[in-house]
Amino acid sequence: MPPFRLAHQGKTCSDSPRSHARLRAVALVFLLSAALSSCSGIQSALDPAGPEAEDVATLFYVMLVGGAAIWVGVVGTLFYATRVRREPHSERTAGWVILLCGAVGPVFILGALLTYAVWLLPNMRPWTAPGEEGGLRQIEVTGEQFWWRVRYLDASGGVLLETANEIIMPVGERVLFSLNAPDVIHSFWIPSLGGKMDVIPGRINRIALEASKAGVYRGVCAEFCGASHALMAFTVEVLEAEAFDAWLQQRLAADGSSGADGLGLFLRHGCGACHTIAGTQADGKIGPNLTALGARGSIAAGTLPNTQDNIARFIRSPGEIKPGVHMPSFAMLPEGDVETIAAYLKGLE
Amino acid sequence: MKRLLPAEVETLWTLFTAPVVWAGHFVICYVAVAIYCEKALVWDVDFDHVRLALGLFTLLALAMIVLSAYLAWRQWGFGSGEPPHSGPTDRDRRRFQGFATLLLSGLSFVAVFYTAIPLIFIAGCHL
């Protein structure tokens, strides 16, 4: 490696092995910390909060160890060939090495890893037979461009309540998600709770997930679906059973009819043609349901923190925040009207 | 035994036998399970029967590949000569083809076995 010169000192780095070593150590710590930061958090398959996700994480670690063993074997052989013994072996020995290390060994190692992965598969994706899902709580999730329509269903399959970009679920209870899409293919993925499942137009895919730890997690769209694919996330909040029941009752009773000024402007400017707010005349189905919007952790499908300013920003120019969004810009509205509507929406709980 | 085996014919098709069995096994396994899972509610057939049938089909495919490997071994002269058989002679061309067919048979055998591993563990359709 050619030494690079430090201009102000007139020295080369190779003059100082200690500074070289320090530089390497800093780089290593930096790289390791960057890698390790992905091992925890609200959106990490390596920080599981459910039985399926635990199996996914276990599979990852087993494959990692398997891959590391293969890597050590390959690099060890390379080291042996270039550093330990530089003279050639006999052709007969080389033939045996190729047969054992190039064919028989990989067949058994890959066979073992494949068998383990397939053996784990039924646990990672528990099967719910048609007709057996009666006892499970059902949530219908529709992947739209670029947000998630979430409908809680009652025992008979009717819609109990609708929300968007948020899933609240009870801890320790398996929930069956029915996934569909009206436009393009999406993929529903809550890394902390389990594997992903494609959301395909014209088809209902189902995935049953269970959360074993209360907390807040993040779900994402895992299949490229358009310009704002990366801005199509949702919040998953796992509550204790009592807290979940309380949330459900509170959401069923949510009423957006207070805040007359904001509601009046909301309706007058036609927002109700696309959005629903329970307890009001706004009953549009095209866009996300905005009932209790103020209680959500984020707006625009996990894109911005839920503040009054951000709601106003989104109303004025949604396309700047989410390219390709279907909602038109409302920049032509008087500034005061936008602020009043944003304050009203932020106040909805 | 030898009378039961086909005579040694010099054609390139013997080279493809094992990979074709592998391809056929792969397609039939996937298509059979896909159709069964789509019709599971209509047909009154247990999934275990499908697994068993495909398991027997796997054994048949493996047996065909073993046969192909034996014929290749014969064409190779039962390992009497060392590869690479690169001489410009009829004998070397036959030996080379036999050796290549034998290697392809080995690959196909492993591939068919890998394809069949899910039959052991997957016990139902995921609808």
Side-chain angles (χ1 to χ4, degrees):
Chain A
M1 188 179 128
F4 59 90
R5 191 167 288 279
L6 295 174
H8 63 288
Q9 290 175 336
K11 286 181 178 176
T12 59
C13 267
S14 61
D15 293 342
S16 164
R18 284 182 66 187
S19 68
H20 225 142
R22 197 177 305 152
L23 197 68
R24 271 192 208 150
V26 169
L28 189 68
V29 168
F30 178 75
L31 285 173
L32 269 180
S33 59
L36 289 174
S37 65
S38 60
C39 296
S40 63
I42 57 172
Q43 190 194 318
S44 173
L46 301 180
D47 189 8
E52 287 85 39
E54 276 173 26
D55 281 335
V56 172
T58 308
L59 180 65
F60 170 78
Y61 287 119
V62 169
M63 289 292 166
L64 185 69
V65 170
I70 293 169
W71 184 83
V72 166
V74 171
V75 173
T77 309
L78 188 70
F79 184 77
Y80 172 79
T82 55
R83 291 279 186 273
V84 180
R85 179 177 165 132
R86 298 182 185 209
E87 304 80 33
H89 284 279
S90 70
E91 273 200 26
R92 190 178 168 75
T93 311
W96 276 107
V97 170
I98 290 171
L99 179 67
L100 293 177
C101 300
V104 178
V107 163
F108 278 97
I109 293 172
L110 293 179
L113 290 176
L114 175 67
T115 305
Y116 177 73
V118 176
W119 172 71
L120 212 58
L121 202 59
N123 299 335
M124 285 194 286
R125 195 50 60 85
W127 183 48
T128 311
E132 285 178 13
E133 72 271 16
L136 297 182
R137 188 181 301 279
Q138 289 197 56
I139 300 178
E140 182 189 279
V141 176
T142 307
E144 307 268 358
Q145 276 179 318
F146 302 92
W147 57 281
W148 301 91
R149 188 190 296 276
V150 178
R151 289 184 174 131
Y152 286 72
L153 305 183
D154 59 23
S156 61
V159 178
L160 202 59
L161 68 91
E162 181 174 324
T163 181
N165 306 319
E166 59 164 358
I167 290 171
I168 317 293
M169 56 191 278
V171 71
E173 183 187 322
R174 188 159 290 280
V175 176
L176 184 68
F177 293 95
S178 304
L179 312 170
N180 66 83
D183 41 40
V184 298
I185 297 177
H186 304 274
S187 188
F188 176 83
W189 190 25
I190 311 171
S192 303
L193 299 188
K196 63 186 82 164
M197 175 65 89
D198 278 357
V199 182
I200 299 171
R203 190 184 157 87
I204 296 174
N205 277 349
R206 303 187 307 170
I207 182 170
L209 294 172
E210 182 182 336
S212 55
K213 274 195 286 189
V216 177
Y217 309 102
R218 188 169 187 267
V220 290
C221 177
E223 187 76 48
F224 181 73
C225 59
S228 281
H229 158 69
L231 303 175
M232 186 174 164
F234 56 99
T235 309
V236 181
E237 197 172 346
V238 178
L239 300 174
E240 298 293 342
E242 302 81 37
F244 175 78
D245 288 338
W247 171 83
L248 200 59
Q249 293 311 317
Q250 185 191 357
R251 195 53 73 87
L252 285 170
D255 183 353
S257 59
S258 57
D261 290 351
L263 176 59
L265 289 169
F266 186 88
L267 295 173
R268 189 175 344 137
H269 291 306
C271 309
C274 292
H275 298 286
T276 294
I277 296 175
T280 73
Q281 292 171 309
D283 59 356
K285 303 284 184 227
I286 298 169
N289 188 309
L290 299 180
T291 305
L293 177 72
R296 300 180 198 169
S298 62
I299 63 162
T303 306
L304 292 174
N306 189 356
T307 64
Q308 186 180 322
D309 284 348
N310 283 338
I311 296 173
R313 262 182 73 198
F314 194 82
I315 294 171
R316 276 194 293 266
S317 48
E320 278 180 20
I321 294 164
K322 292 186 80 164
V325 70
H326 291 318
M327 178 168 155
S329 163
F330 283 86
M332 70 297 199
L333 295 186
E335 191 57 30
D337 286 9
V338 173
E339 290 299 333
T340 308
I341 292 172
Y344 162 70
L345 292 174
K346 178 62 187 155
L348 291 173
E349 286 196 1
Chain B
M1 170 76 181
K2 283 202 174 167
R3 246 181 272 157
L4 291 174
L5 292 173
E8 195 171 325
V9 194
E10 190 168 348
T11 162
L12 207 56
W13 286 107
T14 53
L15 190 71
F16 303 134
T17 309
V20 166
V21 171
W22 165 19
H25 176 264
F26 184 90
V27 169
I28 287 173
C29 280
Y30 275 72
V31 169
V33 173
I35 292 176
Y36 171 80
C37 285
E38 199 55 40
K39 301 282 182 189
L41 295 175
V42 186
W43 294 350
D44 191 21
V45 180
D46 196 60
F47 188 64
D48 284 344
H49 292 134
V50 178
R51 288 164 85 189
L52 188 67
L54 289 177
L56 293 173
F57 177 57
T58 301
L59 292 179
L60 179 69
L62 291 175
M64 287 168 75
I65 291 171
V66 168
L67 178 66
S68 153
Y70 179 81
L71 295 178
W73 191 35
R74 186 178 68 178
Q75 195 178 4
W76 188 36
F78 298 106
S80 55
E82 289 283 317
H85 311 297
S86 53
T89 62
D90 282 350
R91 188 172 174 277
D92 260 23
R93 193 179 65 240
R94 270 203 312 281
R95 294 279 186 267
F96 174 80
Q97 192 186 332
F99 186 54
T101 309
L102 185 63
L103 292 180
L104 273 175
S105 301
L107 177 69
S108 305
F109 188 92
V110 172
V112 166
F113 185 72
Y114 279 6
T115 306
I117 286 177
L119 288 173
I120 304 169
F121 300 107
I122 308 293
C125 306
H126 186 94
L127 298 177

